[in-house]
Amino acid sequence: MFKHAQLESVKAWVIDPAHGALPLHARIQRAIRQLILDGALDAARPLPASRALAKSLGVSRDTVESAYSQLHAEGFIERRVGSGSFVSERAQRLPGRGTARRPGSPREPLRLSQRGAAMYRGGGVRDFLAPRPFAPGVPETRSFPLQTWERLERQVLKQYGTQALLHSPPQGMEPLRCAIADYVNLERGAHATPERVLVLTSSQQALTLCATVLLDAGDRIFIEDPVYHGARKAFDAAGLECVPLPLDADGIRVEHLRESRQAAKAVFLTPSHQFPTGATLALDRRLAIIEWARQHQAWIIEDDYDSEFHYAGKPTACVQGLDQHQRTVYIGTFTKSLFPGLRIAFMVLPPELVAPMTAARTLLDGHSAPIPQLTLARFMEGGHFGAHVRTMRAVYAERRDVLERLVCKHLASFVEPKVPAGGMQMPCVFIRDIPEREAIDMAHRAGIDLLGLTPLHASSKHKAGFLMGFAAHAPRELEIAVKKLADVLRAIDH
């Protein structure tokens, strides 16, 4: 029979709120199982009769019978007609029985692979699920044409029926690949065909594929300094050696690329709106990078993450469209141009990379969901995507200007804004000696999400500051948040 302590242990399991999602019989079954695993109940030890245990626990006899039946099915107890239930001999021989770690006892050090450790260090992206003021890269979703999207999705389901519930081809649904190729050729000056488009779930997945398919651990890759943190994390996790190249107002300083004594197999660029500075890579530098890639048989990884939102004329054509040698991997995403929940991005690949990249993609997640792909294809084919982008471009341009005025009015004593020609975030650099990390942390506690500039730099020759995303918030919301941030900075400065 149970001792008093064992009975109390079972009762604790039954009433513990942490187990509230489990039915009563499962809580009882798991409590007794744990007593056996911990060695608290020896083999051949009789268990209380189901009626007696039910009375002690204040539950029905059927509940206890269900728990005992499951324990019997799993081999933890034996049930003998006329004699009752007993801890089984098999349970006595369980490996590790009686050696379970007690709460509060020290754990063994976590052991990860080198790549796993790099991924762990690089992970932990801050939670921007509910967009808080100034979270970078978050689009406005409240004005998205949901009714149009819903109508197109119904059309997809009516046309494809249960076929839309099956797997997508790993390269992506053909109608979407066609729509993407047409779009990047027309709007971004790319050289794309549907056969060269690979549909993915995110640009981060694209960066991971590039890092692991094109380079080996220990290989060098040139990166911008400062650089997009998602790319740096993907490259670090793959074991690559990142070689930073300095920037100026026209983007990467290509003389450092040409003169570097360190051979590299790839270069990573955000040429439309450099992250985080917002600089646009000049045409002569684009051509110089293409020539460097040709000479060294290296790859250009072009992340064109928010090129749709350029506020002074048309954006510059992408590097991929200028590259006649087909050494450029072009990455695009609909996370920022439409909405994050869509989970669709893509790569336009050199022809010889399509098969290996597609094969590698199947090892990550197999395929993307067909219904959103087919709905997005119709959204693009019907002109809705272009119309939405044009609308949001005007909205974001206004919000950028509003944020600039608010920063100059309320934060002029602390920071200087660097107004970008495009994109969805504005860099601000401190003009006073304010600890960047402290400012970021205090702002976060006040409900404001800023991205510090220091972690994005490889060199120490930079000014501290932060990025302020402005796309997801209306002017009045921006004003409230800027005033709150001013209070935070004043509290630090005093």
Side-chain angles (χ1 to χ4, degrees):
M1 291 295 180
F2 280 176
K3 296 178 181 178
H4 176 73
Q6 294 161 351
L7 180 61
E8 291 302 312
S9 177
V10 175
K11 287 182 178 179
W13 258 85
V14 170
I15 64 174
D16 189 341
H19 307 140
L22 295 173
L24 275 174
H25 74 271
R27 296 186 224 176
I28 296 168
Q29 175 253 334
R30 296 191 188 191
I32 297 173
R33 183 179 67 183
Q34 195 61 50
L35 288 172
I36 295 172
L37 290 172
D38 289 347
L41 295 176
D42 295 328
R45 168 73 69 84
L47 299 177
S50 57
R51 190 186 305 277
L53 183 57
K55 183 177 181 180
S56 298
L57 297 177
V59 299
S60 72
R61 184 184 178 188
D62 286 345
T63 298
V64 175
E65 279 293 330
S66 296
Y68 280 1
S69 295
Q70 184 62 32
L71 288 165
H72 175 64
E74 293 176 357
F76 285 98
I77 69 173
E78 298 171 358
R79 309 202 74 181
R80 304 170 191 167
V81 177
S83 300
S85 302
F86 302 81
V87 178
S88 70
E89 292 288 344
R90 187 187 307 171
Q92 181 75 32
R93 299 190 297 270
L94 287 173
R97 183 171 179 268
T99 60
R101 189 180 73 88
R102 304 296 178 184
S105 61
R107 298 178 67 96
E108 292 185 6
L110 179 66
R111 296 180 182 179
L112 299 175
S113 68
Q114 290 183 356
R115 178 169 290 181
M119 294 172 70
Y120 183 41
R121 290 193 301 270
V125 178
R126 283 169 64 178
D127 181 6
F128 295 144
L129 289 180
R132 307 199 311 173
F134 310 134
V138 180
E140 173 62 82
T141 56
R142 291 170 292 188
S143 56
F144 182 78
L146 266 180
Q147 290 182 331
T148 300
W149 186 270
E150 186 180 24
R151 174 172 55 82
L152 296 175
E153 187 173 74
R154 286 198 303 270
Q155 292 177 8
V156 165
L157 293 172
K158 184 175 181 180
Q159 177 180 348
Y160 289 87
T162 56
Q163 281 188 322
L165 309 181
L166 301 175
H167 287 79
S168 160
Q171 195 175 334
M173 301 297 284
E174 184 176 4
L176 179 57
R177 289 189 286 111
C178 290
I180 288 172
D182 289 343
Y183 167 71
V184 295
N185 288 340
L186 177 64
E187 296 293 338
R188 303 297 300 117
H191 290 308
T193 63
E195 295 74 26
R196 293 171 60 181
V197 174
L198 175 60
V199 178
L200 302 168
T201 53
S202 67
S203 57
Q204 194 66 33
Q205 185 183 52
L207 292 167
T208 298
L209 283 169
C210 289
T212 53
V213 174
L214 303 182
L215 298 97
D216 291 309
D219 284 346
R220 294 189 180 94
I221 180 170
F222 287 124
I223 61 172
E224 301 163 324
D225 185 22
V227 69
Y228 169 54
H229 49 298
R232 182 64 185 262
K233 290 172 181 178
F235 301 152
D236 285 344
L240 308 185
E241 180 183 344
C242 295
V243 180
L245 298 176
L247 309 173
D248 60 21
D250 290 324
I252 274 184
R253 294 171 58 184
V254 291
E255 67 271 19
H256 291 267
L257 181 76
R258 290 191 292 248
E259 296 168 4
S260 175
R261 297 179 181 177
Q262 298 175 295
K265 291 189 176 180
V267 59
F268 170 74
L269 305 172
T270 51
S272 292
H273 306 131
Q274 199 281 328
F275 190 97
T277 66
T280 298
L281 185 62
L283 177 60
D284 60 327
R285 299 189 184 187
R286 295 174 185 235
L287 297 175
I289 292 170
I290 291 170
E291 178 60 19
W292 170 84
R294 183 194 68 80
Q295 290 178 0
H296 294 83
Q297 289 297 287
W299 299 106
I300 300 169
I301 302 171
E302 178 181 13
D303 187 356
D304 208 35
Y305 63 100
D306 67 358
S307 61
E308 293 86 1
F309 304 120
H310 198 80
Y311 310 128
K314 292 204 65 156
T316 307
C318 64
V319 172
Q320 192 268 358
L322 300 171
D323 181 8
Q324 299 179 352
H325 313 294
Q326 298 186 343
R327 304 297 305 176
T328 302
V329 174
Y330 177 92
I331 299 172
T333 178
F334 295 98
T335 293
K336 294 173 174 57
S337 55
L338 292 179
F339 54 93
L342 183 57
R343 304 304 297 149
I344 294 180
F346 62 92
M347 292 195 288
V348 179
L349 297 163
E352 66 271 23
L353 286 183
V354 173
M357 283 287 193
T358 303
R361 181 268 161 85
T362 63
L363 296 177
L364 293 182
D365 66 351
H367 70 105
S368 296
I371 296 173
Q373 288 187 70
L374 293 169
T375 305
L376 175 57
R378 289 180 178 242
F379 194 76
M380 298 177 77
E381 293 161 359
H384 307 294
F385 177 72
H388 180 68
V389 165
R390 288 191 294 273
T391 298
M392 301 320 295
R393 188 183 295 137
V395 169
Y396 295 168
E398 179 196 5
R399 293 181 179 183
R400 177 202 61 173
D401 296 342
V402 167
L403 180 61
E404 179 193 8
R405 290 195 296 270
L406 290 169
V407 169
C408 291
K409 180 178 181 180
H410 299 286
L411 303 178
S413 301
F414 308 104
V415 299
E416 177 188 356
K418 303 292 184 180
V419 183
M424 304 165 70
Q425 49 269 327
M426 180 184 296
C428 292
V429 297
F430 286 122
I431 57 175
R432 302 174 71 148
D433 188 17
I434 294 177
E436 180 182 291
R437 184 70 261 165
E438 184 180 354
I440 302 296
D441 290 343
M442 285 190 63
H444 184 71
R445 289 194 292 271
I448 295 172
D449 285 320
L450 303 172
L451 181 63
L453 296 181
T454 295
L456 307 179
H457 286 78
S459 71
S460 58
K461 298 178 181 179
H462 69 275
K463 292 183 178 180
F466 45 75
L467 276 181
M468 302 179 75
F470 53 78
H473 297 281
R476 177 58 182 159
E477 295 167 330
L478 291 172
E479 182 178 9
I480 293 170
V482 167
K483 290 179 177 178
K484 188 182 296 185
L485 180 57
D487 292 337
V488 169
L489 296 179
R490 273 194 293 269
I492 297 174
D493 196 42
H494 287 151

